[in-house]
């Protein structure tokens, strides 16, 4: 596996680490459980980490030196792809011929390294976009920065070069075809998963609130994720203001946790959300909390009455799936993969557009009817069980085998040529 811009060992919710990091960690572990050895190559961003770390039995993470450890933004990483590729090739040269069977690249930067590795090693390239420039640019938040043309070109090249593309949902597969002219037979849909051992209802909301120091009777709408315009945490703050304007009595029992750190274009204005909360007069209700580990994140989900996910674009929506697995309903934008993850009216509510008034209307239903969180939360926990990582790994392995089978005739011809000219 290749992940140039973020390590699977990074804390999700910080910098560029997010759902993709969770995806690689969980998928790799499940593949290893199926007997597939996995090596993940990522750019070294710290001198304190060992060059090779064991993530789990059968899963190694290799940190490749490519550019300075710190100070490089994601936009500057294309200039380091040559150095990163060189590092990958050096490690590969230490293995016996045919050591790697498949290259699985994540995000477009890794796709370019994977493209070269695939050609050099004579193995299939399986690529997961995770997000796409054309899709993001078609649904930009106000004031957000468009993805550059270089990324669009790079993604187009990878789509043409990959033996197989993995899409999170049928909608994402359709976007690959619509925006990038992907070949449908080479595009497979594999849903990401949820760690159903970690993300469970547990002992319930009261116990989680006690551990987190939250009031037992509070109404708690939660935002969890990276703080950037794409994820739209500001919509939640505007919706809270709408709630209070309609019913000022809610102020006495409203607590609004925002769990996560600035990321992407949000790094340019890291205090934007705090300033917005003050300007809207809700700063006393909002609790900003830095990113937390997965076990602690599960407690935040359990403690909330509802998770709010007003993103402008989501290839899947792991946060929504995790919250539902913990028995917490979701109010989410009807974008990307979220309509797959959230069953409207059953496990939460899907909102068309990003008008805070509509989000406030949905939240008001939970505030006025506490039993609604319990009813929809129970259905949410059941629904989330269909997204286990073991199924993701099994389906991904099937994609690898299809790619290998399609490559087999060419590999046989190459071996025959090599024997005849050896």
């Amino acid at each position: 596996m290749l992940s140039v811009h973020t390590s699977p060992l990074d804390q999700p919710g910080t910098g560029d680490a997010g759902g993709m990091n969770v995806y690689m960690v969980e998928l790799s572990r499940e593949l290893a459980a199926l007997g597939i050895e996995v090596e993940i190559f990522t750019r070294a961003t710290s001198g304190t980490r060992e060059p090779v770390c064991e993530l789990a039995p059968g899963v190694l993470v290799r940190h490749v030196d490519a550019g300075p450890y710190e100070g490089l933004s994601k936009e500057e990483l294309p200039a380091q792809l040559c150095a990163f590729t060189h590092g990958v090739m050096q490690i590969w040269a230490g293995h016996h011929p045919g050591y790697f069977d498949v290259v699985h690249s994540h995000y477009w930067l890794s796709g370019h390294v994977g493209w070269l590795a695939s050609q050099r090693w004579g193995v299939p390239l399986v690529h997961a976009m995770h997000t796409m420039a054309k899709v993001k640019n078609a649904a930009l938040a106000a004031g957000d920065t468009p993805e550059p043309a270089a990324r669009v070109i790079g993604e187009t090249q990878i789509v043409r070069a990959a033996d197989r593309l993995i899409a999170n949902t049928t909608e994402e597969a359709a976007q690959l075809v619509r925006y990038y002219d992907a070949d449908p037979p080479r595009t497979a849909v594999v849903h990401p998963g949820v760690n159903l051992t970690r993300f469970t209802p547990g002992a319930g909301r009261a116990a989680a609130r006690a551990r987190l120091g939250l009031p037992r009777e509070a109404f708690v709408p939660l935002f969890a994720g990276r703080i950037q315009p794409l994820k739209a945490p500001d919509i939640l703050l505007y919706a809270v203001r709408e709630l209070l304007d309609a019913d000022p009595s809610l102020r006495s029992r409203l607590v609004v946790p925002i769990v996560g750190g600035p990321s992407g274009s949000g790094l340019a204005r890291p205090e934007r959300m705090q300033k917005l909360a003050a300007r809207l007069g809700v700063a006393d209700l909002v609790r900003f909390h830095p990113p937390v580990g997965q076990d602690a994140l599960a407690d935040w989900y359990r403690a909330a009455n509802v998770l709010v996910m007003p993103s402008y674009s989501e290839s899947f929506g792991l946060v929504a799936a995790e919250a539902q697995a913990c028995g917490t309903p979701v109010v989410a934008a009807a974008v990307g993969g979220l309509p797959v993850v959230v069953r409207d009216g059953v496990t939460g509510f899907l909102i068309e557009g990003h008008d805070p008034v509509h989000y406030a209307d949905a939240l008001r239903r939970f505030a006025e009817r506490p039993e609604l969180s319990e009813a929809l939360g129970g259905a949410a926990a059941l629904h989330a069980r269909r997204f286990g990582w073991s199924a993701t790994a099994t389906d991904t392995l099937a994609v690898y085998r299809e790619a290998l089978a399609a490559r087999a005739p060419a590999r046989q011809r190459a071996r025959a040529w090599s024997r005849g000219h050896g």
Side-chain angles (χ1 to χ4, degrees), residues 201-216 298-300 302-304:
R205 183 173 297 126
R209 290 188 176 186
R211 287 190 290 271
L212 295 171
L214 294 172
R216 185 184 180 92
D299 255 355
W300 281 104
R302 296 182 190 111

Side-chain angles (χ1 to χ4, degrees), residues 18 34 37 90 94 100 108 117 122 136 157 160 173 175 218-219 233 285 311 332 341 347 365 375:
L34 294 173
E37 292 181 84
Q90 278 191 315
F100 292 115
W108 77 279
K136 291 177 72 173
Q157 292 171 326
R160 291 173 182 165
Q175 289 170 338
F219 173 57
L285 308 178
S311 306
V341 180
T347 70
R365 298 171 72 172

Side-chain angles (χ1 to χ4, degrees), residues 132 135 167-179 189 191 314-315 335-340:
M132 290 175 273
V135 174
N168 290 331
T169 63
T170 53
E171 170 62 17
E172 185 180 354
Q175 289 170 338
L176 280 164
V177 174
R178 181 164 69 250
Y179 287 108
V189 175
H191 293 317
E314 287 286 347
S315 62
V335 299
L338 285 168
V340 174

